[in-house]
Amino acid sequence: NTMRTLLSLLLTLCLLQLLAVTHSVDGLRSASASTLAALPQQQSFSARIVGGNEAALGDWPGIVSIQNRFGFPFCSGSIIDDRWVLTAGSCLSGLRAPNLLLLAGTTASWNLSAVGYYADKIYVHCNYDKPLYHNDIALIHLTTDVEYNDYIKKLPLAALDELQLQEPLNFAGWGAVEEEGSISVPLMQASGSYLDVPACRRALGNTENVDEGHVCVQLPQGQGMCYSDAGAPLINAQGQLVGIGNWGVPCGRGFPDVYSRVAFYHDWIRSTINGYALG
């Protein structure tokens, strides 16, 4: 009976791991079929390692690894207030808050000694995916206050839309480091430049899936977001959060990556937080 119980437990854990990995593959939303069909075909579509370098502890104190209760990571988020984490709606749609675990103050997505926080509320934008790839933003309310230190800090929001063409922007995440690969254990970071909406649309085959609610980042071919980078923070030189990982053409194929524009959703973020406080 004891052996049968252990085998049953091991089988359950294996099934849970498979489910978690399946969820993680959806952690970056790929461009729609119509967008992919319109892209220039001279680009290289071979699977390759996504460029970037490993982040050091303390480089990204505002980032959290969003995981299920069993410790399987599938998205990233940003601490923006004592009990609030900002991420992508695509990360949380259909999930229950009590099933989440958020790791902070770590560069490793698998870290048993990292500080963990639990959630009691999820707020996905009411117009999420209406239309496709729009309003892809969500808030997580934590059960306890974040304890700040040198490695855990909140990220200030970019309240004003003041991005300039070719402005350098930085992002980080635990997404896959190659197109056919699994998620990264170390936190990876890379830099790109801001691309305005008209230029971004042209680069993505004149897609309608980019508007003023998005921030586009151009990187060299071989660098960029990949699977499970949804919700990852994009910051400017002042350390302000300007974007949340949304969608793209995985992985590092030379096309712009698309983020939800934080300044565009600033009122929604603040009204949601204030609404919770009012009960």
PDB file of all heavy atoms in Angstrom, residues 80-119:
ATOM      1  N   ILE A  80       5.065  46.767  -8.170  1.00  0.00           N
ATOM      2  CA  ILE A  80       4.819  48.193  -8.362  1.00  0.00           C
ATOM      3  C   ILE A  80       4.278  48.866  -7.105  1.00  0.00           C
ATOM      4  O   ILE A  80       4.166  50.089  -7.055  1.00  0.00           O
ATOM      5  CB  ILE A  80       3.862  48.447  -9.544  1.00  0.00           C
ATOM      6  CG1 ILE A  80       2.493  47.824  -9.268  1.00  0.00           C
ATOM      7  CG2 ILE A  80       4.459  47.900 -10.838  1.00  0.00           C
ATOM      8  CD1 ILE A  80       1.419  48.304 -10.231  1.00  0.00           C
ATOM      9  N   ASP A  81       3.928  48.075  -6.082  1.00  0.00           N
ATOM     10  CA  ASP A  81       3.455  48.622  -4.811  1.00  0.00           C
ATOM     11  C   ASP A  81       3.610  47.540  -3.751  1.00  0.00           C
ATOM     12  O   ASP A  81       3.969  46.406  -4.069  1.00  0.00           O
ATOM     13  CB  ASP A  81       1.997  49.080  -4.921  1.00  0.00           C
ATOM     14  CG  ASP A  81       1.697  50.280  -4.031  1.00  0.00           C
ATOM     15  OD1 ASP A  81       2.315  50.376  -2.950  1.00  0.00           O
ATOM     16  OD2 ASP A  81       0.861  51.125  -4.416  1.00  0.00           O
ATOM     17  N   ASP A  82       3.327  47.913  -2.508  1.00  0.00           N
ATOM     18  CA  ASP A  82       3.615  47.001  -1.395  1.00  0.00           C
ATOM     19  C   ASP A  82       2.951  45.635  -1.536  1.00  0.00           C
ATOM     20  O   ASP A  82       3.502  44.635  -1.088  1.00  0.00           O
ATOM     21  CB  ASP A  82       3.180  47.638  -0.071  1.00  0.00           C
ATOM     22  CG  ASP A  82       4.000  48.870   0.267  1.00  0.00           C
ATOM     23  OD1 ASP A  82       5.054  49.062  -0.369  1.00  0.00           O
ATOM     24  OD2 ASP A  82       3.588  49.642   1.162  1.00  0.00           O
ATOM     25  N   ARG A  83       1.759  45.600  -2.128  1.00  0.00           N
ATOM     26  CA  ARG A  83       1.065  44.325  -2.310  1.00  0.00           C
ATOM     27  C   ARG A  83       0.623  44.091  -3.749  1.00  0.00           C
ATOM     28  O   ARG A  83      -0.282  43.285  -3.986  1.00  0.00           O
ATOM     29  CB  ARG A  83      -0.153  44.248  -1.378  1.00  0.00           C
ATOM     30  CG  ARG A  83       0.186  44.101   0.086  1.00  0.00           C
ATOM     31  CD  ARG A  83      -0.980  43.525   0.862  1.00  0.00           C
ATOM     32  NE  ARG A  83      -0.718  43.468   2.285  1.00  0.00           N
ATOM     33  CZ  ARG A  83      -1.446  42.792   3.162  1.00  0.00           C
ATOM     34  NH1 ARG A  83      -2.500  42.116   2.753  1.00  0.00           N
ATOM     35  NH2 ARG A  83      -1.138  42.800   4.448  1.00  0.00           N
ATOM     36  N   TRP A  84       1.271  44.757  -4.697  1.00  0.00           N
ATOM     37  CA  TRP A  84       0.791  44.662  -6.070  1.00  0.00           C
ATOM     38  C   TRP A  84       1.910  44.302  -7.046  1.00  0.00           C
ATOM     39  O   TRP A  84       2.996  44.855  -6.995  1.00  0.00           O
ATOM     40  CB  TRP A  84       0.160  45.981  -6.494  1.00  0.00           C
ATOM     41  CG  TRP A  84      -1.112  46.288  -5.762  1.00  0.00           C
ATOM     42  CD1 TRP A  84      -1.247  47.060  -4.632  1.00  0.00           C
ATOM     43  CD2 TRP A  84      -2.425  45.832  -6.089  1.00  0.00           C
ATOM     44  NE1 TRP A  84      -2.565  47.109  -4.252  1.00  0.00           N
ATOM     45  CE2 TRP A  84      -3.311  46.369  -5.121  1.00  0.00           C
ATOM     46  CE3 TRP A  84      -2.935  45.027  -7.107  1.00  0.00           C
ATOM     47  CZ2 TRP A  84      -4.683  46.116  -5.153  1.00  0.00           C
ATOM     48  CZ3 TRP A  84      -4.309  44.775  -7.133  1.00  0.00           C
ATOM     49  CH2 TRP A  84      -5.166  45.320  -6.170  1.00  0.00           C
ATOM     50  N   VAL A  85       1.573  43.386  -7.951  1.00  0.00           N
ATOM     51  CA  VAL A  85       2.470  42.968  -9.033  1.00  0.00           C
ATOM     52  C   VAL A  85       1.742  43.171 -10.351  1.00  0.00           C
ATOM     53  O   VAL A  85       0.575  42.785 -10.510  1.00  0.00           O
ATOM     54  CB  VAL A  85       2.886  41.493  -8.877  1.00  0.00           C
ATOM     55  CG1 VAL A  85       3.566  40.982 -10.139  1.00  0.00           C
ATOM     56  CG2 VAL A  85       3.812  41.332  -7.667  1.00  0.00           C
ATOM     57  N   LEU A  86       2.438  43.783 -11.308  1.00  0.00           N
ATOM     58  CA  LEU A  86       1.883  44.030 -12.641  1.00  0.00           C
ATOM     59  C   LEU A  86       2.437  42.993 -13.614  1.00  0.00           C
ATOM     60  O   LEU A  86       3.643  42.712 -13.624  1.00  0.00           O
ATOM     61  CB  LEU A  86       2.257  45.433 -13.100  1.00  0.00           C
ATOM     62  CG  LEU A  86       1.642  45.941 -14.404  1.00  0.00           C
ATOM     63  CD1 LEU A  86       0.131  46.089 -14.264  1.00  0.00           C
ATOM     64  CD2 LEU A  86       2.269  47.271 -14.799  1.00  0.00           C
ATOM     65  N   THR A  87       1.567  42.437 -14.444  1.00  0.00           N
ATOM     66  CA  THR A  87       1.995  41.426 -15.413  1.00  0.00           C
ATOM     67  C   THR A  87       1.064  41.447 -16.621  1.00  0.00           C
ATOM     68  O   THR A  87       0.252  42.365 -16.775  1.00  0.00           O
ATOM     69  CB  THR A  87       2.043  40.028 -14.754  1.00  0.00           C
ATOM     70  OG1 THR A  87       2.620  39.085 -15.663  1.00  0.00           O
ATOM     71  CG2 THR A  87       0.663  39.567 -14.338  1.00  0.00           C
ATOM     72  N   ALA A  88       1.162  40.446 -17.461  1.00  0.00           N
ATOM     73  CA  ALA A  88       0.319  40.362 -18.661  1.00  0.00           C
ATOM     74  C   ALA A  88      -0.976  39.617 -18.341  1.00  0.00           C
ATOM     75  O   ALA A  88      -0.982  38.648 -17.579  1.00  0.00           O
ATOM     76  CB  ALA A  88       1.070  39.651 -19.778  1.00  0.00           C
ATOM     77  N   GLY A  89      -2.061  40.059 -18.961  1.00  0.00           N
ATOM     78  CA  GLY A  89      -3.327  39.367 -18.786  1.00  0.00           C
ATOM     79  C   GLY A  89      -3.268  37.945 -19.314  1.00  0.00           C
ATOM     80  O   GLY A  89      -3.908  37.033 -18.775  1.00  0.00           O
ATOM     81  N   SER A  90      -2.486  37.733 -20.375  1.00  0.00           N
ATOM     82  CA  SER A  90      -2.366  36.391 -20.956  1.00  0.00           C
ATOM     83  C   SER A  90      -1.725  35.401 -19.995  1.00  0.00           C
ATOM     84  O   SER A  90      -1.887  34.191 -20.145  1.00  0.00           O
ATOM     85  CB  SER A  90      -1.567  36.451 -22.260  1.00  0.00           C
ATOM     86  OG  SER A  90      -0.334  37.110 -22.073  1.00  0.00           O
ATOM     87  N   CYS A  91      -0.986  35.916 -19.010  1.00  0.00           N
ATOM     88  CA  CYS A  91      -0.376  35.030 -18.008  1.00  0.00           C
ATOM     89  C   CYS A  91      -1.409  34.478 -17.031  1.00  0.00           C
ATOM     90  O   CYS A  91      -1.228  33.388 -16.479  1.00  0.00           O
ATOM     91  CB  CYS A  91       0.689  35.793 -17.218  1.00  0.00           C
ATOM     92  SG  CYS A  91       2.172  36.202 -18.137  1.00  0.00           S
ATOM     93  N   LEU A  92      -2.477  35.241 -16.795  1.00  0.00           N
ATOM     94  CA  LEU A  92      -3.368  34.934 -15.678  1.00  0.00           C
ATOM     95  C   LEU A  92      -4.787  34.588 -16.075  1.00  0.00           C
ATOM     96  O   LEU A  92      -5.561  34.132 -15.229  1.00  0.00           O
ATOM     97  CB  LEU A  92      -3.420  36.137 -14.716  1.00  0.00           C
ATOM     98  CG  LEU A  92      -2.083  36.599 -14.149  1.00  0.00           C
ATOM     99  CD1 LEU A  92      -2.286  37.839 -13.281  1.00  0.00           C
ATOM    100  CD2 LEU A  92      -1.416  35.493 -13.350  1.00  0.00           C
ATOM    101  N   SER A  93      -5.146  34.798 -17.321  1.00  0.00           N
ATOM    102  CA  SER A  93      -6.516  34.537 -17.748  1.00  0.00           C
ATOM    103  C   SER A  93      -6.911  33.089 -17.461  1.00  0.00           C
ATOM    104  O   SER A  93      -6.235  32.151 -17.888  1.00  0.00           O
ATOM    105  CB  SER A  93      -6.660  34.830 -19.244  1.00  0.00           C
ATOM    106  OG  SER A  93      -7.980  34.605 -19.668  1.00  0.00           O
ATOM    107  N   GLY A  94      -7.974  32.922 -16.701  1.00  0.00           N
ATOM    108  CA  GLY A  94      -8.461  31.588 -16.360  1.00  0.00           C
ATOM    109  C   GLY A  94      -7.832  30.964 -15.140  1.00  0.00           C
ATOM    110  O   GLY A  94      -8.214  29.856 -14.742  1.00  0.00           O
ATOM    111  N   LEU A  95      -6.871  31.644 -14.498  1.00  0.00           N
ATOM    112  CA  LEU A  95      -6.204  31.103 -13.311  1.00  0.00           C
ATOM    113  C   LEU A  95      -6.831  31.651 -12.031  1.00  0.00           C
ATOM    114  O   LEU A  95      -7.464  32.710 -12.027  1.00  0.00           O
ATOM    115  CB  LEU A  95      -4.713  31.445 -13.334  1.00  0.00           C
ATOM    116  CG  LEU A  95      -3.890  30.879 -14.495  1.00  0.00           C
ATOM    117  CD1 LEU A  95      -2.419  31.212 -14.310  1.00  0.00           C
ATOM    118  CD2 LEU A  95      -4.072  29.366 -14.611  1.00  0.00           C
ATOM    119  N   ARG A  96      -6.624  30.925 -10.937  1.00  0.00           N
ATOM    120  CA  ARG A  96      -7.109  31.351  -9.626  1.00  0.00           C
ATOM    121  C   ARG A  96      -5.941  31.862  -8.797  1.00  0.00           C
ATOM    122  O   ARG A  96      -4.859  31.265  -8.785  1.00  0.00           O
ATOM    123  CB  ARG A  96      -7.798  30.189  -8.901  1.00  0.00           C
ATOM    124  CG  ARG A  96      -9.038  29.678  -9.612  1.00  0.00           C
ATOM    125  CD  ARG A  96      -9.658  28.482  -8.901  1.00  0.00           C
ATOM    126  NE  ARG A  96     -10.084  28.831  -7.546  1.00  0.00           N
ATOM    127  CZ  ARG A  96      -9.501  28.380  -6.434  1.00  0.00           C
ATOM    128  NH1 ARG A  96      -8.458  27.558  -6.518  1.00  0.00           N
ATOM    129  NH2 ARG A  96      -9.955  28.734  -5.253  1.00  0.00           N
ATOM    130  N   ALA A  97      -6.151  32.975  -8.100  1.00  0.00           N
ATOM    131  CA  ALA A  97      -5.091  33.609  -7.320  1.00  0.00           C
ATOM    132  C   ALA A  97      -4.442  32.677  -6.298  1.00  0.00           C
ATOM    133  O   ALA A  97      -3.212  32.687  -6.153  1.00  0.00           O
ATOM    134  CB  ALA A  97      -5.633  34.866  -6.635  1.00  0.00           C
ATOM    135  N   PRO A  98      -5.207  31.864  -5.550  1.00  0.00           N
ATOM    136  CA  PRO A  98      -4.568  31.001  -4.538  1.00  0.00           C
ATOM    137  C   PRO A  98      -3.602  29.979  -5.116  1.00  0.00           C
ATOM    138  O   PRO A  98      -2.830  29.369  -4.364  1.00  0.00           O
ATOM    139  CB  PRO A  98      -5.762  30.308  -3.863  1.00  0.00           C
ATOM    140  CG  PRO A  98      -6.915  31.212  -4.102  1.00  0.00           C
ATOM    141  CD  PRO A  98      -6.681  31.783  -5.471  1.00  0.00           C
ATOM    142  N   ASN A  99      -3.638  29.767  -6.435  1.00  0.00           N
ATOM    143  CA  ASN A  99      -2.744  28.783  -7.056  1.00  0.00           C
ATOM    144  C   ASN A  99      -1.420  29.375  -7.494  1.00  0.00           C
ATOM    145  O   ASN A  99      -0.596  28.678  -8.100  1.00  0.00           O
ATOM    146  CB  ASN A  99      -3.434  28.140  -8.259  1.00  0.00           C
ATOM    147  CG  ASN A  99      -4.632  27.305  -7.868  1.00  0.00           C
ATOM    148  OD1 ASN A  99      -4.684  26.792  -6.750  1.00  0.00           O
ATOM    149  ND2 ASN A  99      -5.598  27.188  -8.753  1.00  0.00           N
ATOM    150  N   LEU A 100      -1.196  30.661  -7.199  1.00  0.00           N
ATOM    151  CA  LEU A 100       0.021  31.332  -7.636  1.00  0.00           C
ATOM    152  C   LEU A 100       1.060  31.416  -6.537  1.00  0.00           C
ATOM    153  O   LEU A 100       0.744  31.559  -5.358  1.00  0.00           O
ATOM    154  CB  LEU A 100      -0.297  32.753  -8.116  1.00  0.00           C
ATOM    155  CG  LEU A 100      -1.241  32.900  -9.303  1.00  0.00           C
ATOM    156  CD1 LEU A 100      -1.444  34.378  -9.622  1.00  0.00           C
ATOM    157  CD2 LEU A 100      -0.708  32.163 -10.531  1.00  0.00           C
ATOM    158  N   LEU A 101       2.314  31.360  -6.941  1.00  0.00           N
ATOM    159  CA  LEU A 101       3.468  31.624  -6.087  1.00  0.00           C
ATOM    160  C   LEU A 101       4.360  32.598  -6.835  1.00  0.00           C
ATOM    161  O   LEU A 101       4.640  32.410  -8.014  1.00  0.00           O
ATOM    162  CB  LEU A 101       4.231  30.329  -5.788  1.00  0.00           C
ATOM    163  CG  LEU A 101       5.579  30.467  -5.069  1.00  0.00           C
ATOM    164  CD1 LEU A 101       5.386  31.006  -3.655  1.00  0.00           C
ATOM    165  CD2 LEU A 101       6.314  29.131  -5.032  1.00  0.00           C
ATOM    166  N   LEU A 102       4.796  33.659  -6.152  1.00  0.00           N
ATOM    167  CA  LEU A 102       5.644  34.663  -6.789  1.00  0.00           C
ATOM    168  C   LEU A 102       6.970  34.742  -6.047  1.00  0.00           C
ATOM    169  O   LEU A 102       7.004  35.020  -4.842  1.00  0.00           O
ATOM    170  CB  LEU A 102       4.947  36.032  -6.795  1.00  0.00           C
ATOM    171  CG  LEU A 102       3.673  36.122  -7.632  1.00  0.00           C
ATOM    172  CD1 LEU A 102       2.450  35.712  -6.815  1.00  0.00           C
ATOM    173  CD2 LEU A 102       3.476  37.523  -8.179  1.00  0.00           C
ATOM    174  N   LEU A 103       8.066  34.485  -6.769  1.00  0.00           N
ATOM    175  CA  LEU A 103       9.398  34.526  -6.173  1.00  0.00           C
ATOM    176  C   LEU A 103      10.034  35.885  -6.434  1.00  0.00           C
ATOM    177  O   LEU A 103      10.039  36.373  -7.566  1.00  0.00           O
ATOM    178  CB  LEU A 103      10.288  33.431  -6.751  1.00  0.00           C
ATOM    179  CG  LEU A 103       9.947  31.978  -6.440  1.00  0.00           C
ATOM    180  CD1 LEU A 103      11.088  31.069  -6.884  1.00  0.00           C
ATOM    181  CD2 LEU A 103       9.644  31.767  -4.965  1.00  0.00           C
ATOM    182  N   ALA A 104      10.621  36.476  -5.389  1.00  0.00           N
ATOM    183  CA  ALA A 104      11.256  37.787  -5.496  1.00  0.00           C
ATOM    184  C   ALA A 104      12.688  37.709  -4.975  1.00  0.00           C
ATOM    185  O   ALA A 104      13.059  36.794  -4.236  1.00  0.00           O
ATOM    186  CB  ALA A 104      10.467  38.828  -4.707  1.00  0.00           C
ATOM    187  N   GLY A 105      13.499  38.682  -5.382  1.00  0.00           N
ATOM    188  CA  GLY A 105      14.863  38.769  -4.872  1.00  0.00           C
ATOM    189  C   GLY A 105      15.765  37.650  -5.331  1.00  0.00           C
ATOM    190  O   GLY A 105      16.683  37.245  -4.616  1.00  0.00           O
ATOM    191  N   THR A 106      15.542  37.151  -6.556  1.00  0.00           N
ATOM    192  CA  THR A 106      16.342  36.045  -7.056  1.00  0.00           C
ATOM    193  C   THR A 106      16.577  36.212  -8.553  1.00  0.00           C
ATOM    194  O   THR A 106      15.783  36.847  -9.245  1.00  0.00           O
ATOM    195  CB  THR A 106      15.653  34.689  -6.800  1.00  0.00           C
ATOM    196  OG1 THR A 106      16.467  33.632  -7.324  1.00  0.00           O
ATOM    197  CG2 THR A 106      14.289  34.628  -7.450  1.00  0.00           C
ATOM    198  N   THR A 107      17.665  35.651  -9.037  1.00  0.00           N
ATOM    199  CA  THR A 107      17.896  35.599 -10.480  1.00  0.00           C
ATOM    200  C   THR A 107      17.664  34.190 -11.014  1.00  0.00           C
ATOM    201  O   THR A 107      17.826  33.956 -12.216  1.00  0.00           O
ATOM    202  CB  THR A 107      19.330  36.031 -10.827  1.00  0.00           C
ATOM    203  OG1 THR A 107      20.261  35.210 -10.109  1.00  0.00           O
ATOM    204  CG2 THR A 107      19.554  37.498 -10.463  1.00  0.00           C
ATOM    205  N   ALA A 108      17.279  33.274 -10.148  1.00  0.00           N
ATOM    206  CA  ALA A 108      17.039  31.889 -10.549  1.00  0.00           C
ATOM    207  C   ALA A 108      15.552  31.572 -10.434  1.00  0.00           C
ATOM    208  O   ALA A 108      14.946  31.811  -9.390  1.00  0.00           O
ATOM    209  CB  ALA A 108      17.843  30.928  -9.681  1.00  0.00           C
ATOM    210  N   SER A 109      14.979  31.055 -11.499  1.00  0.00           N
ATOM    211  CA  SER A 109      13.557  30.717 -11.463  1.00  0.00           C
ATOM    212  C   SER A 109      13.289  29.502 -10.581  1.00  0.00           C
ATOM    213  O   SER A 109      12.161  29.302 -10.124  1.00  0.00           O
ATOM    214  CB  SER A 109      13.035  30.469 -12.877  1.00  0.00           C
ATOM    215  OG  SER A 109      13.757  29.415 -13.511  1.00  0.00           O
ATOM    216  N   TRP A 110      14.318  28.687 -10.358  1.00  0.00           N
ATOM    217  CA  TRP A 110      14.210  27.556  -9.432  1.00  0.00           C
ATOM    218  C   TRP A 110      15.131  27.851  -8.248  1.00  0.00           C
ATOM    219  O   TRP A 110      16.335  27.706  -8.343  1.00  0.00           O
ATOM    220  CB  TRP A 110      14.632  26.245 -10.105  1.00  0.00           C
ATOM    221  CG  TRP A 110      13.812  25.908 -11.302  1.00  0.00           C
ATOM    222  CD1 TRP A 110      13.975  26.359 -12.567  1.00  0.00           C
ATOM    223  CD2 TRP A 110      12.692  25.018 -11.344  1.00  0.00           C
ATOM    224  NE1 TRP A 110      13.035  25.829 -13.398  1.00  0.00           N
ATOM    225  CE2 TRP A 110      12.232  24.998 -12.681  1.00  0.00           C
ATOM    226  CE3 TRP A 110      12.034  24.255 -10.381  1.00  0.00           C
ATOM    227  CZ2 TRP A 110      11.132  24.226 -13.077  1.00  0.00           C
ATOM    228  CZ3 TRP A 110      10.946  23.487 -10.787  1.00  0.00           C
ATOM    229  CH2 TRP A 110      10.517  23.476 -12.105  1.00  0.00           C
ATOM    230  N   ASN A 111      14.560  28.315  -7.163  1.00  0.00           N
ATOM    231  CA  ASN A 111      15.356  28.735  -6.013  1.00  0.00           C
ATOM    232  C   ASN A 111      14.552  28.509  -4.744  1.00  0.00           C
ATOM    233  O   ASN A 111      13.664  29.294  -4.401  1.00  0.00           O
ATOM    234  CB  ASN A 111      15.737  30.211  -6.158  1.00  0.00           C
ATOM    235  CG  ASN A 111      16.699  30.666  -5.083  1.00  0.00           C
ATOM    236  OD1 ASN A 111      16.912  29.975  -4.077  1.00  0.00           O
ATOM    237  ND2 ASN A 111      17.291  31.829  -5.265  1.00  0.00           N
ATOM    238  N   LEU A 112      14.879  27.444  -4.037  1.00  0.00           N
ATOM    239  CA  LEU A 112      14.126  27.088  -2.836  1.00  0.00           C
ATOM    240  C   LEU A 112      14.336  28.070  -1.694  1.00  0.00           C
ATOM    241  O   LEU A 112      13.538  28.133  -0.762  1.00  0.00           O
ATOM    242  CB  LEU A 112      14.514  25.676  -2.379  1.00  0.00           C
ATOM    243  CG  LEU A 112      14.171  24.541  -3.347  1.00  0.00           C
ATOM    244  CD1 LEU A 112      14.663  23.209  -2.794  1.00  0.00           C
ATOM    245  CD2 LEU A 112      12.669  24.490  -3.603  1.00  0.00           C
ATOM    246  N   SER A 113      15.404  28.866  -1.764  1.00  0.00           N
ATOM    247  CA  SER A 113      15.684  29.823  -0.684  1.00  0.00           C
ATOM    248  C   SER A 113      15.152  31.224  -0.984  1.00  0.00           C
ATOM    249  O   SER A 113      15.289  32.127  -0.159  1.00  0.00           O
ATOM    250  CB  SER A 113      17.188  29.893  -0.415  1.00  0.00           C
ATOM    251  OG  SER A 113      17.884  30.385  -1.549  1.00  0.00           O
ATOM    252  N   ALA A 114      14.559  31.429  -2.152  1.00  0.00           N
ATOM    253  CA  ALA A 114      14.058  32.754  -2.525  1.00  0.00           C
ATOM    254  C   ALA A 114      12.820  33.109  -1.712  1.00  0.00           C
ATOM    255  O   ALA A 114      12.093  32.240  -1.222  1.00  0.00           O
ATOM    256  CB  ALA A 114      13.733  32.793  -4.010  1.00  0.00           C
ATOM    257  N   VAL A 115      12.572  34.408  -1.586  1.00  0.00           N
ATOM    258  CA  VAL A 115      11.384  34.890  -0.881  1.00  0.00           C
ATOM    259  C   VAL A 115      10.156  34.657  -1.748  1.00  0.00           C
ATOM    260  O   VAL A 115      10.124  35.051  -2.921  1.00  0.00           O
ATOM    261  CB  VAL A 115      11.514  36.391  -0.557  1.00  0.00           C
ATOM    262  CG1 VAL A 115      10.260  36.895   0.164  1.00  0.00           C
ATOM    263  CG2 VAL A 115      12.753  36.644   0.289  1.00  0.00           C
ATOM    264  N   GLY A 116       9.154  33.998  -1.187  1.00  0.00           N
ATOM    265  CA  GLY A 116       7.939  33.698  -1.935  1.00  0.00           C
ATOM    266  C   GLY A 116       6.732  34.430  -1.387  1.00  0.00           C
ATOM    267  O   GLY A 116       6.609  34.617  -0.162  1.00  0.00           O
ATOM    268  N   TYR A 117       5.854  34.848  -2.282  1.00  0.00           N
ATOM    269  CA  TYR A 117       4.617  35.536  -1.890  1.00  0.00           C
ATOM    270  C   TYR A 117       3.430  34.833  -2.534  1.00  0.00           C
ATOM    271  O   TYR A 117       3.524  34.306  -3.647  1.00  0.00           O
ATOM    272  CB  TYR A 117       4.655  37.001  -2.320  1.00  0.00           C
ATOM    273  CG  TYR A 117       5.690  37.822  -1.584  1.00  0.00           C
ATOM    274  CD1 TYR A 117       6.963  37.997  -2.128  1.00  0.00           C
ATOM    275  CD2 TYR A 117       5.409  38.382  -0.346  1.00  0.00           C
ATOM    276  CE1 TYR A 117       7.926  38.734  -1.456  1.00  0.00           C
ATOM    277  CE2 TYR A 117       6.370  39.124   0.337  1.00  0.00           C
ATOM    278  CZ  TYR A 117       7.625  39.294  -0.220  1.00  0.00           C
ATOM    279  OH  TYR A 117       8.585  40.010   0.460  1.00  0.00           O
ATOM    280  N   TYR A 118       2.308  34.860  -1.807  1.00  0.00           N
ATOM    281  CA  TYR A 118       1.075  34.278  -2.317  1.00  0.00           C
ATOM    282  C   TYR A 118       0.083  35.388  -2.677  1.00  0.00           C
ATOM    283  O   TYR A 118       0.237  36.534  -2.267  1.00  0.00           O
ATOM    284  CB  TYR A 118       0.470  33.318  -1.295  1.00  0.00           C
ATOM    285  CG  TYR A 118       1.340  32.109  -1.051  1.00  0.00           C
ATOM    286  CD1 TYR A 118       2.035  31.952   0.146  1.00  0.00           C
ATOM    287  CD2 TYR A 118       1.466  31.120  -2.029  1.00  0.00           C
ATOM    288  CE1 TYR A 118       2.854  30.858   0.362  1.00  0.00           C
ATOM    289  CE2 TYR A 118       2.278  30.011  -1.819  1.00  0.00           C
ATOM    290  CZ  TYR A 118       2.971  29.883  -0.616  1.00  0.00           C
ATOM    291  OH  TYR A 118       3.772  28.799  -0.402  1.00  0.00           O
ATOM    292  N   ALA A 119      -0.917  35.032  -3.456  1.00  0.00           N
ATOM    293  CA  ALA A 119      -1.876  36.008  -3.967  1.00  0.00           C
ATOM    294  C   ALA A 119      -3.289  35.667  -3.505  1.00  0.00           C
ATOM    295  O   ALA A 119      -3.619  34.506  -3.263  1.00  0.00           O
ATOM    296  CB  ALA A 119      -1.821  36.039  -5.492  1.00  0.00           C
TER     297      ALA A 119
END
